[in-house]
Amino acid sequence: MAESSSIRRRSVEPTSHNIEPKGGAYDNVSSDLKDVVELDAGYLAQQEGWGDTDADLRDMKRLGKKQEFKRNFSFWSTLGFVSIYMATWEFVLVSLSVGLANGGFAGLFWCFITTVICYGFVVASLAEMESMAPTSGGQYHWVSEFAPPQYQRVLSYASGWMSTLGWLASVASSVYVCGTQIQAMVNVLQPDVVMEPWKITLIMFAVIGITIIFNTYGASILPSLEIASLIGHIAGFFVVMIALLVLCPKNSPYDVFLHFEANGGWSPGPAYLVSQVTIIYCNLGSDSVVHISEEVEDASLVVPRCMFWSFIYNTVIGIVMLIVMLFCIGPLEDVVNSDVPYLLLFNNTGSPALSLVLNVIVFLLVYAGNITALATCAREMWAFARDKGLPFSGWIGKMDRKSSIPFNSVYATSAACVVLALIQLGSTVAFNIIVSLSVLGLMSTYMISIGCVFHRRITGQPLPHARWSLGRYALWINGFALFYSFFLLIFCCFPSYLPVDASSANWAPVVWLAVIIIAVIVYITYGKKHYTAPVDFVEGRKMAGVGLQSTE
């Protein structure tokens, strides 16, 4: 079988990644920019046995990366990976209390609709960039390849740090949700029990510990787990929705669609805009699958398809679940004053046993997404360490050759999440801070990478061929995505509620700024000498004699 695969690859004419050089776009390199990436027999022999398609082989050679992961993710496991990480309908239930306080039922509904429409332009832009350069590095690689030459190194380094921060916060927020869900399940049976912050912290530590096992010794079953998660994600949606619609008393259509009410201290306009942050959080994660690109078969087509279509169907069922929740959750005053609003929703079924079952379903699905989140962040950190972008890169970027799993990056990610878990010990709005930090970090990288592609398009510079392309509308889609990313960044810095004191302030911008300062210091003292920008290995851009990059 291996021999026939090798023959098949040799017999296919290279047709992918046409690159059209124009006007000095690739100056200061000694190797010529080729029209196509050719696959010689020696390269094919080196890459045999990893599960690559011809397109994967050309992509990896163009990007200058040695294949170090087995490509064991199919279309369905890849779709499951990104779908269960997004978990839109699940997070609609467990994370939208800010929107309920700042806009009421109608405010949250219409803000959700407008936000997902605007954010769709961002997802489409990211999907096209993934098709151009399917690598585990994701945004920081795209910035390195597409930014103006004089800014490539520093902007890609900054993007790598922001991406790492955003994904670490994303994992921490998912772990936090798991902790609060366990508290909610306890409260179903014992409503008067209040769990102190230190108990929640210990639960978060336990969740992290179990998740490590799935991402190390259990990593071989991850593709199968993602398919099972996809099935559970869809089946769970219908189970929860039908139970709520049948058993819960209903709010009026006027309250759900037309009655706006700001109870968070903001006036209606700013309240509406601040609510975008947690709505984005419910729909964030389309780019999670980018960071397993080197593990997906036919990645330059499968990954962008999964990114875009998972966003579409997740937002649709998210909107449906949002409507169900708003009709069934009960009076707004009770919801705003509740520490766990979705517990009121499940208790409205009138059956403690059913409420517990619904809580368990949502918990298991959110936890499955937490496994995916850790895998995503670990791959991103591994890729950045491959480019010597982090302290201790030699250790973080080490690959276990027997299992093709980056164990150390999993451990490093988990340790950083333990630190972030401590935030909730000192703040009453810890979840909102971590959410803002996640959105702030990731939207920074979206803005920079989309901005680089937009700049190349508006100045007529070449871009690699994209099998999943935005076509004639690319410039306009990129332009709006860039504007919206910047717009959203501003509101990530706003506090969720007014008035503000030390315990309720949004400290995410402070943490974000602190990470930027640390990144600058590390770049000056370490990165300037050791960091290897991904573009330094790209075919047609690398210096003569530079081979494939690896962590060996």
Side-chain angles (χ1 to χ4, degrees):
M1 182 64 71
E3 183 178 356
S4 65
S5 175
S6 179
I7 293 172
R8 178 180 63 83
R9 288 173 181 165
R10 286 167 171 76
S11 65
V12 176
E13 293 298 322
T15 56
S16 299
H17 295 304
N18 297 320
I19 308 173
E20 303 172 1
K22 297 181 183 178
Y26 301 107
D27 292 339
N28 302 319
V29 294
S30 58
S31 57
D32 295 328
L33 187 66
K34 299 181 183 299
D35 291 332
V36 293
V37 176
E38 299 177 356
L39 302 179
D40 56 84
Y43 176 77
L44 286 167
Q46 292 178 16
Q47 302 301 314
E48 195 66 54
W50 294 100
D52 309 89
T53 65
D54 295 295
D56 293 326
L57 290 168
R58 290 193 181 89
D59 288 330
M60 292 298 282
K61 187 173 183 181
R62 189 191 77 78
L63 297 170
K65 310 295 184 188
K66 181 179 179 180
Q67 186 69 44
E68 298 188 70
F69 287 100
K70 294 180 180 178
R71 293 189 182 269
N72 53 4
F73 277 84
S74 65
F75 173 83
W76 290 108
S77 55
T78 304
L79 183 65
F81 187 98
V82 63
S83 296
I84 198 60
Y85 176 78
M86 287 185 68
T88 300
W89 74 261
E90 294 92 335
F91 279 98
V92 162
L93 297 177
V94 302
S95 68
L96 286 182
S97 58
V98 171
L100 289 167
N102 279 322
F105 295 152
L108 177 59
F109 174 77
W110 291 111
C111 187
F112 195 98
I113 298 296
T114 55
T115 299
V116 296
I117 290 173
C118 293
Y119 186 61
F121 288 83
V122 176
V123 173
S125 298
L126 296 175
E128 186 189 44
M129 286 189 287
E130 162 63 13
S131 189
M132 295 177 189
T135 168
S136 297
Q139 292 93 307
Y140 85 87
H141 175 101
W142 304 335
V143 171
S144 178
E145 188 172 348
F146 304 145
Q150 65 270 34
Y151 303 120
Q152 286 172 342
R153 187 177 176 85
V154 65
L155 283 181
S156 68
Y157 192 79
S159 295
W161 274 80
M162 290 301 98
S163 181
T164 301
L165 172 65
W167 282 112
L168 286 172
S170 184
V171 178
S173 66
S174 181
V175 172
Y176 183 89
V177 169
C178 288
T180 59
Q181 285 182 288
I182 291 173
Q183 177 183 2
M185 287 186 281
V186 171
N187 289 152
V188 171
L189 302 176
Q190 302 182 49
D192 296 329
V193 172
V194 177
M195 298 183 69
E196 295 86 350
W198 67 268
K199 291 182 180 179
I200 298 292
T201 301
L202 291 179
I203 292 174
M204 293 171 69
F205 291 169
V207 170
I208 292 171
I210 298 171
T211 308
I212 290 174
I213 297 173
F214 278 102
N215 276 276
T216 50
Y217 303 105
S220 61
I221 66 169
L222 196 57
S224 299
L225 179 63
E226 301 304 343
I227 294 175
S229 298
L230 177 62
I231 296 171
H233 176 61
I234 297 172
F237 166 76
F238 287 104
V239 170
V240 173
M241 178 184 66
I242 292 171
L244 295 176
L245 285 176
V246 170
L247 297 174
C248 292
K250 309 298 188 293
N251 292 317
S252 70
Y254 173 81
D255 286 336
V256 171
F257 297 116
L258 297 175
H259 182 64
F260 296 80
E261 187 174 332
N263 295 305
W266 292 102
S267 58
Y272 189 94
L273 298 174
V274 168
S275 298
Q276 290 178 105
V277 178
T278 48
I279 292 171
I280 286 293
Y281 179 72
C282 290
N283 297 278
L284 198 68
S286 295
D287 61 312
S288 61
V289 72
V290 166
H291 301 293
I292 62 162
S293 293
E294 296 173 33
E295 300 168 68
V296 177
E297 186 178 352
D298 203 19
S300 58
L301 188 60
V302 169
V303 173
R305 280 178 174 174
C306 289
M307 289 174 68
F308 186 75
W309 291 111
S310 66
F311 174 78
I312 296 297
Y313 97 79
N314 261 290
T315 53
V316 169
I317 64 176
I319 291 169
V320 173
M321 185 59 75
L322 176 62
I323 294 172
V324 172
M325 180 185 77
L326 296 179
F327 270 104
C328 299
I329 200 168
L332 178 61
E333 182 180 358
D334 293 341
V335 176
V336 171
N337 293 327
S338 173
D339 293 330
V340 189
Y342 70 91
L343 185 57
L344 292 179
L345 174 66
F346 292 159
N347 287 345
N348 273 353
T349 60
S351 169
L354 179 58
S355 177
L356 184 60
V357 169
L358 297 180
N359 271 285
V360 169
I361 290 173
V362 176
F363 170 78
L364 291 175
L365 293 172
V366 171
Y367 180 72
N370 188 67
I371 296 172
T372 297
L374 181 56
T376 297
C377 189
R379 268 54 168 189
E380 191 278 336
M381 286 188 70
W382 172 83
F384 199 33
R386 177 173 58 184
D387 290 307
K388 305 297 187 294
L390 294 169
F392 313 109
S393 286
W395 181 79
I396 295 173
K398 186 177 180 180
M399 175 70 74
D400 183 85
R401 300 300 163 190
K402 183 177 180 181
S403 62
S404 296
I405 300 296
F407 287 105
N408 291 350
S409 65
V410 173
Y411 301 142
T413 299
S414 302
C417 290
V418 166
V419 174
L420 287 175
L422 298 176
I423 291 177
Q424 70 95 34
L425 287 175
S427 175
T428 57
V429 289
F431 176 71
N432 296 331
I433 294 172
I434 297 175
V435 165
S436 294
L437 188 60
S438 175
V439 177
L440 193 59
L442 292 178
M443 292 304 297
S444 299
T445 67
Y446 299 169
M447 184 181 70
I448 296 172
S449 57
I450 293 170
C452 291
V453 169
F454 181 72
H455 176 263
R456 293 190 80 86
R457 282 200 159 107
I458 206 168
T459 55
Q461 297 183 58
L463 286 166
H465 171 70
R467 297 168 71 196
W468 194 95
S469 174
L470 297 177
R472 69 181 67 180
Y473 304 107
L475 182 66
W476 299 103
I477 292 172
N478 292 161
F480 184 82
L482 178 62
F483 163 77
Y484 186 67
S485 298
F486 177 75
F487 180 77
L488 193 63
L489 277 178
I490 296 172
F491 290 97
C492 287
C493 300
F494 280 50
S496 302
Y497 307 104
L498 294 178
V500 176
D501 56 27
S503 64
S504 62
N506 182 1
W507 294 102
V510 178
V511 178
W512 183 69
L513 182 60
V515 170
I516 291 177
I517 294 172
I518 293 172
V520 170
I521 295 172
V522 174
Y523 181 76
I524 293 172
T525 59
Y526 172 83
K528 198 170 185 180
K529 181 179 180 180
H530 297 94
Y531 176 57
T532 54
V535 71
D536 294 343
F537 295 91
V538 171
E539 194 84 7
R541 308 286 294 274
K542 63 186 179 183
M543 305 298 291
V546 175
L548 298 178
Q549 185 188 26
S550 75
T551 57
E552 293 180 345

